[in-house]
């Protein structure tokens, strides 16, 4: 019995030793890496098992490098993270490429080997245009734009200013007296002057007469005595 038990355990162990590698090799030993492009500057990649096309269940160990087409700029190395906006096979980068054309290379080392390359173009995103006089003023330094007056408006404004000035001048200067009133004032002045002169002449004449009468009385008194 002991011999049978030992033999059974040995066979089971041998079977497991052969079955485990077979299960491990079911997906194959290489990965298919396809760089699909970019989304808002983030490099996007699909990674599957090359043998059966299944998605990778494990976290991949990969590096992403990018070189500009003229060879003057390089970006990376970056790592890949799962892309929540894509299929289970989708991976992306947390970092973003600046605008331009880039040759992107993705190299995977775990759970198997794989490599993918693609020339990716990242466009320049223009800011959203804005309209209105307020925006024009802000663009010119913060002062709202004021439209120039038309010739008709300018002439109307000048006419209005002239009329206002004339009205102001008329209001500040005294109003001329009517001609009838001025004539009446002159006549009254002349009458007062002649009246005063007549009174003076009458007074002088009365004084002269009184003086003559007094002299005559004095002479008559002298003769009587």
């Amino acid at each position: 019995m002991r011999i049978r038990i030992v033999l059974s355990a040995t066979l089971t162990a041998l079977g497991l030793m052969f079955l485990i590698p077979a299960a491990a090799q079911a997906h194959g030993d290489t990965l298919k890496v396809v760089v699909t492009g970019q989304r808002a500057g983030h490099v996007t990649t699909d990674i599957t098992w090359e043998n059966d096309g299944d998605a990778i269940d494990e976290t991949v160990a990969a590096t992403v490098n990018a070189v500009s087409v003229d060879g003057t700029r390089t970006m990376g190395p970056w790592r890949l993270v799962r892309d929540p906006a894509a299929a289970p096979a989708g991976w992306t980068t947390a970092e973003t490429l600046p605008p331009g054309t880039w040759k992107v290379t993705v190299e995977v080392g775990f759970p198997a080997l794989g490599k993918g390359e693609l020339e990716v173009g990242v466009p320049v995103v223009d800011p959203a245009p804005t309209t209105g006089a307020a925006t024009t003023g802000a663009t010119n330094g913060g002062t709202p734009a004021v439209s120039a007056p038309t010739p008709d408006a300018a002439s109307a404004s000048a006419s209005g200013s002239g009329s206002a000035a004339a009205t102001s001048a008329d209001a500040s200067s005294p109003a001329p007296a009517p001609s009838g009133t001025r004539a009446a004032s002159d006549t009254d002045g002349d009458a007062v002057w002649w009246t005063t002169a007549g009174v003076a002449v009458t007074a002088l004449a009365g004084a002269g007469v009184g003086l003559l009468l007094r002299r005559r009385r004095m002479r008559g008194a002298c003769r009587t005595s």
Side-chain angles (χ1 to χ4, degrees), residues 99-157:
T101 304
W102 303 86
K103 182 180 180 181
V104 178
T105 303
V106 177
E107 293 180 314
V108 182
F110 180 84
L113 299 179
K115 182 178 179 179
E117 293 181 344
L118 183 69
E119 190 173 283
V120 176
V122 181
V124 177
V125 180
D126 295 330
T130 54
T131 58
T135 304
T136 304
T139 304
N140 294 334
T143 304
V146 180
S147 59
T150 60
D152 295 339
S155 61
S157 176

Side-chain angles (χ1 to χ4, degrees), residues 22-31 49-55 57-58:
Q25 295 298 326
H27 291 300
D29 57 355
T30 57
L31 298 176
W49 291 101
E50 190 171 19
N51 188 30
D52 54 15
D54 291 343
D57 296 330
E58 302 90 339

Side-chain angles (χ1 to χ4, degrees), residues 36-208:
T36 57
Q38 60 84 31
R39 183 174 63 251
H42 300 273
V43 178
T44 56
T45 307
D46 285 345
I47 303 176
T48 57
W49 291 101
E50 190 171 19
N51 188 30
D52 54 15
D54 291 343
I56 306 299
D57 296 330
E58 302 90 339
T59 299
V60 300
T63 57
V64 180
N65 291 278
V67 181
S68 60
V69 290
D70 57 4
T72 58
R73 295 184 294 171
T74 60
M75 304 296 292
W78 298 332
R79 67 186 186 91
L80 287 177
V81 296
R82 288 197 179 273
D83 189 354
W91 297 78
T92 186
T93 58
E95 299 82 3
T96 58
L97 289 171
T101 304
W102 303 86
K103 182 180 180 181
V104 178
T105 303
V106 177
E107 293 180 314
V108 182
F110 180 84
L113 299 179
K115 182 178 179 179
E117 293 181 344
L118 183 69
E119 190 173 283
V120 176
V122 181
V124 177
V125 180
D126 295 330
T130 54
T131 58
T135 304
T136 304
T139 304
N140 294 334
T143 304
V146 180
S147 59
T150 60
D152 295 339
S155 61
S157 176
S159 301
S161 300
S163 300
T167 303
S168 177
D170 294 342
S172 60
S173 60
S179 59
T181 304
R182 182 178 296 177
S185 299
D186 295 342
T187 303
D188 293 342
D190 293 341
V192 171
W193 186 86
W194 283 110
T195 301
T196 304
V199 171
V201 170
T202 303
L204 291 176

